[in-house]
Amino acid sequence: MKTVRIGDVEICYEIFGEENPETIVLIAGLGSQMIRWEDPFCQLLVDKGFRVIRFDNRDSGSSVYIPGEEIHLTGNIQGYFSTLKPEDIPYSLMDMAKDAIGLLDHLQIEKAHFVGRSMGGIIAQLLGSYFPERVLSLTIIMSTSLHPALPSADPEVMEMMMKPSANPITEREKYFAEKISFAQRISGNGYPFDQNLEITLIEEELSRSKTKNGIIRQLLAIGSHSYNPEVLKKIQAPVLVIHGTDDPIFHPECGKDIADTIPNAEFVLLEGMGHSIPKELFGEISEFILGPKE
């Protein structure tokens, strides 16, 4: 893993298959680290002849945003967003999209295929619309257009997401129990939940996390982002939208809305997949990703 300074952000990234000529960039979701794009999944793409780049978004994992002050949210999160002013937002989703472009610039890569999951899928939409000259294709997984008419996340899941986490140092057992419970709740019913794998990922995330309040600042970036279908309609690159039938955060209608709005986008609905990518689907999804490239 390497780190590069892009503006006021230190971006941590890793490259698999560096000798391969064509590049896929994997963009993580809200508060998620790049290791959630698991090594076996990355290797499948490498085996197909791609250079694969995964990176921590600013404010997650080992990518550090240098803020002026910490932010603490209290009360109702939706109510807080309704009172936001531009000066309250440390950065936008567009700033996060520019991080990805800055990483390409640093690596001297002219164009790439982008694969984004959840929040990363929203960032991918911005890349396709505003940086078309850098985009070979987009694959958008378990994401949303943020259309206000789309179904909301399940209330139970929202409550779990917004609840302050236990301290992983002083309340380690409680912290792991909360994280595992949430991961299991969003994983869908079609595939077995691998608790041992989840524990391993949580432990690695703890060991490489270098930021505080990062997920809050990322939430502010999402909450301040205005839905605009014209952004999606401008996308000309080949687009594949992948969604799971059991996603409790962004329901399948969210993925379908993206595919219906972007010209000529393809929509794939996977039975039993939730808001995560089970290892049983690594092979199938890696094959789907090759589709827009052809």
Side-chain angles (χ1 to χ4, degrees):
M1 297 183 185
K2 299 179 181 179
T3 301
V4 59
R5 183 69 177 262
I6 300 173
D8 56 359
V9 184
E10 294 174 0
I11 296 293
C12 179
Y13 66 96
E14 186 173 17
I15 302 177
F16 298 81
E18 195 157 5
E19 69 285 354
N20 292 337
E22 201 161 352
T23 301
I24 290 178
V25 178
L26 305 175
I27 311 174
L30 172 68
S32 182
Q33 299 188 21
M34 66 178 174
I35 59 173
R36 291 285 171 173
W37 295 108
E38 296 174 44
D39 290 9
F41 180 78
C42 295
Q43 190 58 50
L44 283 171
L45 297 174
V46 170
D47 292 343
K48 296 292 182 180
F50 291 95
R51 176 198 297 124
V52 177
I53 301 172
R54 63 181 184 181
F55 69 100
D56 289 323
N57 286 315
R58 59 168 67 192
D59 259 342
S60 64
S62 295
S63 288
V64 180
Y65 167 70
I66 314 299
E69 60 183 72
E70 297 293 348
I71 297 174
H72 299 277
L73 300 189
T74 58
N76 181 276
I77 188 75
Q78 285 80 13
Y80 184 89
F81 284 149
S82 69
T83 63
L84 284 176
K85 300 175 183 177
E87 60 266 25
D88 297 326
I89 310 300
Y91 51 79
S92 66
L93 290 179
M94 179 62 80
D95 291 324
M96 299 181 77
K98 290 177 180 177
D99 290 343
I101 295 299
L103 183 57
L104 287 190
D105 290 343
H106 169 70
L107 297 172
Q108 298 183 322
I109 296 172
E110 182 181 357
K111 296 183 178 183
H113 303 274
F114 290 92
V115 180
R117 59 196 291 171
S118 196
M119 179 187 73
I122 308 173
I123 293 170
Q125 294 166 43
L126 293 173
L127 290 167
S129 182
Y130 291 99
F131 301 93
E133 72 283 358
R134 310 302 294 271
V135 177
L136 291 170
S137 74
L138 299 176
T139 302
I140 300 168
I141 305 175
M142 56 191 185
S143 190
T144 180
S145 66
L146 293 176
H147 193 309
L150 289 168
S152 300
D154 291 359
E156 175 197 358
V157 173
M158 279 298 295
E159 183 179 351
M160 296 172 79
M161 287 176 66
M162 295 297 104
K163 180 182 176 183
S165 296
N167 188 307
I169 298 175
T170 61
E171 302 173 287
R172 185 176 178 85
E173 188 173 330
K174 183 180 180 183
Y175 178 86
F176 272 78
E178 289 175 350
K179 292 294 185 182
I180 291 167
S181 177
F182 179 72
Q184 187 164 18
R185 174 64 181 82
I186 67 171
S187 66
N189 299 311
Y191 301 90
F193 177 70
D194 190 336
Q195 181 167 316
N196 290 332
L197 174 61
E198 187 63 29
I199 290 172
T200 298
L201 287 170
I202 294 170
E203 288 175 336
E204 187 174 355
E205 286 171 337
L206 283 173
S207 71
R208 61 190 306 278
S209 182
K210 295 183 178 180
T211 190
K212 293 181 180 179
N213 290 107
I215 193 169
I216 294 176
R217 287 187 288 269
Q218 289 185 2
L219 273 171
L220 291 177
I222 296 173
S224 63
H225 185 73
S226 298
Y227 168 70
N228 183 357
E230 298 308 312
V231 171
L232 278 72
K233 291 176 182 177
K234 285 168 56 179
I235 297 173
Q236 296 300 313
V239 176
L240 173 67
V241 181
I242 300 175
H243 221 96
T245 59
D246 291 7
D247 192 331
I249 296 179
F250 298 135
H251 291 264
E253 295 92 329
C254 297
K256 187 66 164 58
D257 179 70
I258 297 171
D260 287 346
T261 309
I262 297 175
N264 304 312
E266 180 184 355
F267 182 61
V268 174
L269 187 63
L270 297 177
E271 186 69 34
M273 188 178 93
H275 200 75
S276 60
I277 303 176
K279 59 180 180 293
E280 291 85 355
L281 286 176
F282 284 179
E284 187 172 357
I285 289 178
S286 67
E287 290 295 332
F288 280 133
I289 288 172
L290 305 183
K293 166 182 172 290
E294 298 288 327

